[in-house]
Amino acid sequence: MTLDNIIIIGGGISGVAAALALKQQHRRVSIYELREGPSTIGGALNLTPNALRYLDAWKVLPKLLPRGCSVGSFELFNMIGGTKTAEMSLGNVAKFGYEVMRILRKDLLDALLETLEEQGTSVEYGKAAREIQEIDGGVRAVFQDGTRVDAQLLLGCDGIHSRTRMGFVESDRRPIYTKIAVVLGLVDSASLTSPIHFRDTAFNMSQNGSLIASYFNPDRRQIFLGALMQTEEEKDRDGWRVRGADQDRLREELKERFQDVKIPCLLEMIGNVKELSLYPVHKLTGDGKWSRGSVMLLGDAAHAMPPQGESVGYALEDVALFAELLKNCKDPSQLSQLFKRYEELRRPRIDAALKETEFRWAQGTRDVGWLQFKIQQWVMPWFLWFTQNKKEEDFASDVRKLVG
């Protein structure tokens, strides 16, 4: 029996990327998304050279170049002292084959969707999965509208709040709130009268959280601003929505938290930022199941971690590695061995990323005292220096080469 009937739950970045990768193998793929249309939430993403390598292979890169901004370096600043404390070089096309790009999440998803539609496939929206069932010869997805779809393989690409994971693969593995929330917004560069203190991307640390500031479009007319702040948890999603809708409260909280900043353009950005969005940051434990029966989780559905500049890259790596393994899988009876091999190859990389993320996430996101802040200012430059070679190895890597 030929393996040519695959369904994907989740029409976000990892789901559409998976569809593109499998379409290149001439597989029959259907993709379902619970929302009524493409998601527009989220800020500016960092696409590392290895991420761009896969997007190029899936014929998406040409659509990204007019939308994203090249990032040659990452700079670290002490907002309280007003000084630069470290810098990491990122751009080396000759070495990595690709640059680093910053781009809006919406623009990346739009480019993926456009490429998928050019190949004759589109996402079916408004399809919330109610139940996933094991059946003879594969798996069945039952949707809220009563639709039933049978397949030989189901990929759960439905994010950290994955219905595929919590409803079928591992019911008790649920998102954990990190006690950090992110406030996002965009600033017109021309609205700033103070000199902009960074070249491409800056991580600005204080005792009361941090600010990420980065260009993200080719003409650099706008700057992405993201505040990482220790925040008490709301009772439910409605609570977060209400809090996020209070623009005046969000803006005042930013001004109060960062009132002692000694970098003038950051204060201007806080005052000039356009509509703000609030997102609680969740994560998953690193020891969970990724598969069951004929179902495999990819991306955040399997291993969501706090954002640290490479999260989308990890999801795209998942897709690239899984698709490469699937090339040699001609029969559904081989899926259990494929799943086992995928995890053998993938878990070491994800486990290492989770450990690094936990360390980096602890630096500059929480409210700290004067002494701890001083320690962070000493530790972070050394950490960036220590991890530089590993980052370069990752940038040059291609997970598809792991498949013998």
Side-chain angles (χ1 to χ4, degrees):
M1 181 185 297
T2 304
L3 178 56
D4 67 349
N5 184 10
I6 302 169
I7 61 176
I8 298 171
I9 303 297
I13 290 169
S14 59
V16 180
L20 286 170
L22 299 182
K23 288 283 288 182
Q24 287 189 342
Q25 299 177 18
H26 307 290
R27 312 270 186 181
R28 184 156 54 97
V29 180
S30 302
I31 180 168
Y32 303 93
E33 166 59 40
L34 65 85
R35 295 182 178 88
E36 295 298 327
S39 173
T40 59
I41 63 174
L45 304 172
N46 209 40
L47 294 177
T48 53
N50 45 330
L52 293 178
R53 185 172 298 112
Y54 309 128
L55 290 165
D56 193 10
W58 302 327
K59 306 186 184 307
V60 182
L61 184 58
K63 293 181 173 61
L64 301 180
L65 296 176
R67 295 167 168 167
C69 173
S70 175
V71 176
S73 65
F74 168 88
E75 296 171 272
L76 186 68
F77 290 87
N78 174 347
M79 284 194 285
I80 305 303
T83 57
K84 184 166 81 170
T85 56
E87 181 174 350
M88 177 182 282
S89 176
L90 299 175
N92 191 334
V93 176
K95 187 172 185 178
F96 308 134
Y98 298 87
E99 58 189 7
V100 174
M101 178 185 291
R102 179 76 73 164
I103 189 169
L104 285 181
R105 177 181 289 272
K106 178 184 181 301
D107 287 343
L108 172 58
L109 181 57
D110 285 348
L112 287 162
L113 289 168
E114 289 167 14
T115 307
L116 186 65
E117 289 172 2
E118 287 172 358
Q119 298 182 16
T121 299
S122 57
V123 178
E124 292 194 42
Y125 293 102
K127 304 292 281 190
R130 186 180 72 202
E131 186 179 2
I132 296 171
Q133 305 168 345
E134 288 186 279
I135 60 173
D136 288 341
V139 61
R140 171 176 294 156
V142 182
F143 297 93
Q144 294 287 3
D145 62 4
T147 305
R148 298 181 175 217
V149 181
D150 295 347
Q152 297 158 314
L153 168 64
L154 185 149
L155 297 179
C157 302
D158 44 348
I160 188 169
H161 299 286
S162 169
R163 175 63 184 170
T164 310
R165 184 188 68 250
M166 294 185 289
F168 183 77
V169 174
E170 191 174 14
S171 61
D172 58 352
R173 187 165 175 244
R174 296 182 175 273
I176 301 168
Y177 179 54
T178 63
K179 298 184 180 179
I180 302 296
V182 182
V183 177
L184 310 175
L186 304 179
V187 181
D188 289 332
S189 303
S191 72
L192 306 175
T193 59
S194 303
I196 296 171
H197 66 296
F198 60 90
R199 284 192 299 275
D200 300 308
T201 293
F203 188 72
N204 309 278
M205 300 174 65
S206 80
Q207 291 178 239
N208 301 308
S210 296
L211 290 171
I212 300 170
S214 179
Y215 293 109
F216 63 88
N217 45 20
D219 55 17
R220 301 195 169 209
R221 288 184 303 173
Q222 290 183 300
I223 294 171
F224 164 72
L225 185 68
L228 306 174
M229 311 184 305
Q230 185 170 318
T231 307
E232 290 299 317
E233 185 174 15
E234 295 289 342
K235 292 181 179 180
D236 51 32
R237 289 191 181 186
D238 287 339
W240 284 111
R241 289 192 190 98
V242 171
R243 186 168 182 173
D246 191 340
Q247 293 287 299
D248 291 339
R249 179 183 174 186
L250 289 177
R251 201 176 300 275
E252 286 305 311
E253 184 170 0
L254 289 180
K255 290 179 179 179
E256 182 178 348
R257 276 185 172 273
F258 302 112
Q259 60 183 313
D260 296 327
V261 167
K262 297 298 191 295
I263 301 175
C265 73
L266 288 175
L267 291 174
E268 279 196 77
M269 288 182 198
I270 292 171
N272 296 354
V273 66
K274 296 180 181 180
E275 184 176 356
L276 295 166
S277 301
L278 172 70
Y279 302 103
V281 178
H282 293 83
K283 65 178 183 178
L284 294 175
T285 58
D287 55 354
K289 293 173 62 178
W290 290 359
S291 66
R292 177 186 164 193
S294 301
V295 176
M296 170 61 75
L297 304 174
L298 298 177
D300 282 353
H303 50 68
M305 59 189 82
Q308 37 69 50
E310 299 174 46
S311 300
V312 171
Y314 291 130
L316 298 179
E317 279 187 348
D318 283 3
V319 170
L321 177 58
F322 187 83
E324 191 69 19
L325 286 166
L326 197 64
K327 282 182 179 179
N328 299 318
C329 183
K330 306 301 182 184
D331 191 286
S333 64
Q334 299 174 318
L335 283 177
S336 61
Q337 284 301 111
L338 185 153
F339 288 178
K340 180 180 178 181
R341 183 59 177 154
Y342 171 76
E343 293 200 32
E344 288 174 351
L345 294 174
R346 193 67 183 133
R347 278 193 183 269
R349 167 100 158 114
I350 294 301
D351 289 345
L354 285 168
K355 290 179 181 178
E356 180 181 334
T357 301
E358 289 292 340
F359 176 82
R360 292 174 65 176
W361 195 244
Q363 314 302 315
T365 58
R366 304 187 186 283
D367 298 341
V368 297
W370 176 84
L371 179 59
Q372 188 171 348
F373 182 65
K374 286 292 185 182
I375 293 171
Q376 288 177 350
Q377 294 303 295
W378 182 84
V379 168
M380 280 300 291
W382 281 102
F383 176 77
L384 292 179
W385 174 82
F386 183 76
T387 57
Q388 176 82 40
N389 287 340
K390 181 62 169 62
K391 288 296 174 201
E392 292 186 355
E393 290 177 8
D394 291 343
F395 288 173
S397 68
D398 187 335
V399 294
R400 294 170 296 187
K401 295 181 179 179
L402 295 174
V403 180

